[in-house]
Amino acid sequence: MRGCFDAEAQVANMGSESRSGKLSYVVRFAGDSGDGIQLQGQQFTMASALGGNDLATLPDFPAEIRAPAGTRYGVSAFQIHFGGERITSPGDTPDVLIAFNPAALVVNLPQLEPGALILVDEQAFTEQRLKRADLDRNPLEDSSLATFEVVRIDISRLTEEAVKPFGMGAKDSQRCKNFWALGLMLWMFDQPRDPTVAWIERRFANEALRNANLAALNAGHAYGETAELTRVLAQHPTPAAPLARAEYRTITGAEGVALGLLAAGELADTQVMFCSYPITPASSILHHLADLEDAGVSTFQAEDEIAAICAAIGASYAGRLGVTSSSGPGIALKTEAMGLAVAAELPLIIVNSQRAGPSTGMPTKTEQSDLYQAVYGRNGDTPIPVLATRSPGDCFDTTIEAVRIALRHMTPVMLLTDGYIANASELWPIPDIDHYPPIASTKPTENTEGSVFQRDPSTLGRVWAAPGDRRFVYRVGGIEKDIETGNISYDAANHQAMTDMRAAKVASVADFIPDQVIEQGSPGGLAVVAWGSTYGTLHQAVLESIRAGLDVAQIHLRHLNPLPGNLGELLGRFHTVLVPELNTGQLATLLRDRLLVRVAQLNKVTGQPFTVQEVRQAIQQHARPRLKEVRP
């Protein structure tokens, strides 16, 4: 979403809850992957943001480009948690489910709590579509939905009637039903229609399509106004969130990385060269950067993963900042070239948008299973710094930090994000780039003298000399080089010295990163220690546990290799350490390996994020009640 709003303008709307007394809601749109579910969710997100709500989203779609219509494995969904309070997770259970067909209903039904509102397209529940969804009876006709509030709406027919004046037949009209349902949801939660109207007018050059989609949007909105009179549906206005004064926009993780690279290039006064090969879910970074070439970022779509990283290394050799990205399978292919960048002592950013594995795995589902690969996964003793983003907005700052490390220490850096962060959205206060300190590099100046392999004693970063500078001509390659001259060397003592230097270079990163802090809570009881996209859910779970009287605190790591220098001492101040991860225990292994810390684990590998309830249950198992202060 490119529209922005100033939070100060929303202050007048704060303080009033919705009619139901709730401050926030969770809505889930679901249908076939061809029903425009993701677009529907994105437009509702934009309206919610411009309406002054805080929000977090969870896009959830199949790996198939176009699965057979009406099947369970072809269901696409988009969940949004929005409202007038601080929102950090996409919500555990939807308050409202909009299901366009039987498959969308039954796939998402297990996520609903009794009393949830279900809106269904009644016309879609035909015998043929029930069969495609592997149902032997119609759930609208039996008692399986008795615990829910079900509203049957003939969305398909109503959409067809709304768009008929614009020459849309029965088949074409179905492409507009997502806007009809969107109009109904905008009415239900009193969100503005204008942003979606403006988007439709910009997006559709064909006048008939533009008018048909506008008519469907307005018809859905009008249906809600009419239905309220019959008590079928009720409106639930949501108050503005108590946001700090700033200009906001919604941002996805992919956008955050792209804008972070752009900002880092400006801060370092260095051109950025992004080289990538398309792969889910990393491709969206390439898409966003391709639109930013006028801002000084060059993009190159290579023929394969190996060519992409080698081209990025070539860009760094030539004096630009080389960046490449992929997901787990592609990162595996880039591994040898990462070793080349380490041996050549060149700055390089490798963005890993993690997904469920192994092999191809579940390409559109999220997981945190590449931490071993990032920290340990190269031949030889080849350490590199590893950082992880915690949210879509945090991708901006963490990307800048990754570039700062790469240029300061002349080393490749791996930046870990994942499918959830890459595609999800949150509100982001647009930062003032003037408040960010410049990024220094080791590029030579007119007064620089000596060897290209002279290294800063505090960072071990060598001179970043580019071809054409006669003062710093040197041989580059993957064969071991002499530590002082850069010439090829098979000397045993030299290889020991180079190996030690490479390890010390990465270790020195810890001297420049801030001490690890406690996000919330205080030392003494249970520490919930995690990394990556689990942050928002853990924040809410820990907050609720503290309010329930449990002695628990949250620690969330950005720097994973090296770990913050004070982390061992900090964890030693807690009775128990719990590590929740969307893998089988990779950070837990790293903490035991590096800090000799005993940890309890909470692991999940379903392709879905943690829920707040799952984490709270684990906290209750390990935390003790907080002792009350004794006053004299």
Side-chain angles (χ1 to χ4, degrees):
M1 183 256 218
R2 299 184 186 279
C4 305
F5 73 91
D6 191 323
E8 186 179 30
Q10 303 294 337
V11 173
N13 298 323
M14 289 168 49
S16 59
E17 295 188 3
S18 68
R19 295 176 188 175
S20 65
K22 288 173 64 71
L23 284 173
S24 64
Y25 294 89
V26 179
V27 174
R28 190 171 181 90
F29 303 92
D32 274 327
S33 55
D35 284 336
I37 298 299
Q38 302 304 315
L39 173 60
Q40 185 182 36
Q42 291 164 6
Q43 291 301 311
F44 191 86
T45 299
M46 178 172 64
S48 299
L50 291 174
N53 296 145
D54 199 3
L55 58 91
T57 70
L58 175 62
D60 188 12
F61 43 86
E64 290 79 9
I65 294 175
R66 187 64 174 93
T71 59
R72 297 192 184 200
Y73 53 86
V75 171
S76 177
F78 188 104
Q79 184 165 306
I80 175 172
H81 185 193
F82 64 99
E85 58 185 343
R86 183 72 177 98
I87 305 294
T88 62
S89 79
D92 284 7
T93 59
D95 298 298
V96 180
L97 170 66
I98 305 173
F100 280 130
N101 59 38
L105 174 63
V106 297
V107 166
N108 290 283
L109 204 58
Q111 301 182 42
L112 303 181
E113 295 287 347
L117 174 63
I118 301 175
L119 305 179
V120 297
D121 183 2
E122 188 174 21
Q123 185 174 310
F125 284 73
T126 63
E127 183 177 348
Q128 182 184 27
R129 293 200 175 187
L130 291 170
K131 185 177 180 180
R132 287 182 183 177
D134 299 323
L135 293 171
D136 54 11
R137 61 180 184 270
N138 189 344
L140 301 182
E141 306 296 341
D142 59 24
S143 61
S144 60
L145 303 178
T147 60
F148 306 104
E149 185 178 352
V150 181
V151 177
R152 299 161 63 161
I153 307 174
D154 201 345
I155 296 176
S156 295
R157 181 184 62 80
L158 293 170
T159 303
E160 186 175 346
E161 291 179 358
V163 304
K164 188 178 296 184
F166 306 101
M168 299 290 109
K171 183 177 180 180
D172 290 336
S173 69
Q174 296 309 297
R175 298 175 181 174
C176 302
K177 67 182 180 182
N178 60 335
F179 280 109
W180 192 100
L182 175 61
L184 176 59
M185 286 296 97
L186 292 176
W187 169 83
M188 179 176 289
F189 295 101
D190 197 25
Q191 303 289 18
R193 262 181 298 170
D194 291 346
T196 304
V197 170
W199 185 90
I200 291 174
E201 291 176 341
R202 290 194 309 269
R203 177 66 176 80
F204 294 98
N206 183 288
E207 184 177 0
L209 289 175
R210 181 172 63 249
N211 291 335
N213 281 299
L214 286 172
L217 178 74
N218 292 329
H221 197 277
Y223 180 89
E225 294 174 332
T226 305
E228 186 182 35
L229 301 178
T230 62
R231 293 291 188 181
V232 175
L233 294 173
Q235 194 174 40
H236 304 280
T238 51
L243 301 171
R245 181 180 177 182
E247 188 176 16
Y248 290 82
R249 57 162 287 175
T250 59
I251 192 170
T252 66
E255 290 175 312
V257 171
L259 293 175
L261 289 172
L262 179 66
E266 291 293 324
L267 292 170
D269 192 23
T270 298
Q271 291 181 303
V272 176
M273 182 75 188
F274 185 85
C275 308
S276 184
Y277 177 75
I279 182 172
T280 301
S283 301
S284 50
I285 300 175
L286 175 60
H287 300 161
H288 291 301
L289 284 172
D291 292 332
L292 296 175
E293 290 198 277
D294 290 343
V297 178
S298 300
T299 56
F300 169 59
Q301 180 176 319
E303 66 270 26
D304 57 46
E305 298 283 7
I306 299 172
I309 188 171
C310 288
I313 292 171
S316 291
Y317 171 66
R320 290 192 176 190
L321 174 63
V323 184
T324 190
S325 77
S326 191
S327 298
I331 296 295
L333 293 171
K334 297 178 187 290
T335 299
E336 182 183 359
M338 288 184 214
L340 170 60
V342 170
E345 298 182 73
L346 287 170
L348 177 70
I349 303 297
I350 308 117
V351 183
N352 182 354
S353 299
Q354 301 166 96
R355 68 190 203 185
S359 188
T360 305
M362 299 191 294
T364 60
K365 307 304 179 183
T366 198
E367 207 165 271
Q368 294 180 295
S369 54
D370 293 350
L371 183 56
Y372 286 161
Q373 183 186 45
V375 176
Y376 303 111
R378 287 160 298 281
N379 66 295
D381 284 307
T382 316
I384 62 173
V386 178
L387 288 79
T389 62
R390 64 170 59 181
S391 68
D394 182 61
C395 285
F396 181 82
D397 287 323
T398 307
T399 299
I400 292 175
E401 172 68 3
V403 173
R404 196 180 299 277
I405 291 172
L407 297 186
R408 184 172 59 215
H409 300 266
M410 289 295 285
T411 179
V413 176
M414 185 170 290
L415 176 63
L416 294 174
T417 175
D418 59 40
Y420 169 46
I421 290 180
N423 297 311
S425 301
E426 70 174 356
L427 271 189
W428 181 56
I430 301 174
D432 184 350
I433 196 65
D434 291 336
H435 292 166
Y436 288 74
I439 297 177
S441 74
T442 61
K443 284 186 176 181
T445 65
E446 293 182 0
N447 298 322
T448 303
E449 298 178 351
S451 165
V452 70
F453 292 106
Q454 61 183 355
R455 298 177 178 86
D456 185 312
S458 64
T459 68
L460 296 180
R462 71 165 178 86
V463 176
W464 187 12
D469 190 333
R470 295 184 178 181
R471 298 172 299 165
F472 298 105
V473 177
Y474 70 102
R475 178 183 286 108
V476 65
I479 298 179
E480 187 65 284
K481 57 181 176 287
D482 184 87
I483 195 168
E484 294 181 355
T485 67
N487 295 328
I488 292 174
S489 173
Y490 296 102
D491 180 77
N494 179 77
H495 181 57
Q496 180 73 55
M498 287 297 292
T499 302
D500 293 343
M501 184 276 296
R502 288 186 282 261
K505 175 184 290 193
V506 174
S508 71
V509 173
D511 297 333
F512 295 87
I513 63 178
D515 284 347
Q516 182 63 47
V517 298
I518 299 174
E519 302 283 336
Q520 55 178 330
S522 57
L526 173 68
V528 178
V529 183
W531 63 284
S533 64
T534 58
Y535 173 79
T537 298
L538 300 184
H539 184 278
Q540 186 64 31
V542 172
L543 179 62
E544 292 179 6
S545 299
I546 291 173
R547 289 172 176 172
L550 295 178
D551 192 5
V552 58
Q554 180 187 14
I555 295 173
H556 210 78
L557 304 178
R558 170 183 283 179
H559 295 270
L560 297 169
N561 192 43
L563 294 166
N566 72 320
L567 183 60
E569 182 273 332
L570 182 62
L571 296 184
R573 298 164 65 189
F574 289 88
H575 179 270
T576 308
V577 175
L578 173 66
V579 180
E581 296 181 85
L582 299 177
N583 57 44
T584 57
Q586 297 188 18
L587 177 61
T589 298
L590 188 64
L591 293 177
R592 295 187 189 107
D593 172 29
R594 301 293 173 84
L595 303 177
L596 303 179
V597 175
R598 294 182 60 185
V599 302
Q601 297 179 207
L602 173 63
N603 302 107
K604 180 177 179 178
V605 285
T606 63
Q608 298 292 326
F610 283 118
T611 65
V612 173
Q613 185 60 27
E614 287 171 338
V615 180
R616 283 201 63 181
Q617 289 176 352
I619 291 174
Q620 289 169 1
Q621 292 176 5
H622 296 282
R624 305 171 299 188
R626 188 171 58 252
L627 296 177
K628 295 182 179 180
E629 293 184 10
V630 179
R631 297 185 180 276

